[in-house]
Amino acid sequence: MTGEKPALEVEVIEIDGTPPRSPGPRAESKPHPHRNWQSWQGKVRTLDPRWWPLWLLLGVIAVVLLVTLGAVASILYLTFRISRRLLHGLFPFLASPRNGSIR
């Protein structure tokens, strides 16, 4: 008892009345690197038409997010400007002189 399992070798003569195909000459195991990207040339520029509802939905979401961020930024800016003018109106000594002269 050597502990090794016996290996079975089987030769297929025929399956369902037809002999198996003989393996032809093997193609290259590694394709040329330039063939990989050449198959994508026409497909990269066009989107799959089955996915247009998803792209439309994602586009709408992106536009809504951009508009929302713009609105929030403009509201914050306007709030800052208004509060700054109110503070300068209430406390004029906080305002720096515009022409740099001291009276």
Side-chain angles (χ1 to χ4, degrees):
M1 298 202 147
T2 62
E4 295 179 20
K5 294 183 179 181
L8 297 175
E9 292 185 28
V10 178
E11 182 179 345
V12 177
I13 298 175
E14 65 180 54
I15 298 174
D16 295 335
T18 59
R21 293 184 294 152
S22 63
R26 294 198 92 185
E28 294 179 6
S29 61
K30 289 185 176 180
H32 292 294
H34 67 278
R35 288 186 187 159
N36 293 337
W37 62 267
Q38 284 180 344
S39 64
W40 284 91
Q41 280 183 347
K43 297 176 184 174
V44 172
R45 284 180 249 138
T46 59
L47 297 174
D48 191 357
R50 295 175 293 178
W51 290 94
W52 73 265
L54 176 68
W55 295 119
L56 182 67
L57 179 68
L58 290 176
V60 167
I61 290 172
V63 167
V64 167
L65 283 175
L66 285 174
V67 168
T68 303
L69 288 175
V72 168
S74 63
I75 288 172
L76 288 175
Y77 179 72
L78 288 175
T79 304
F80 171 73
R81 296 281 298 194
I82 291 171
S83 62
R84 194 173 118 203
R85 289 201 178 216
L86 281 175
L87 285 175
H88 285 298
L90 293 174
F91 306 106
F93 58 88
L94 291 177
S96 62
R98 297 203 186 271
N99 58 5
S101 62
I102 299 175
R103 291 187 191 191

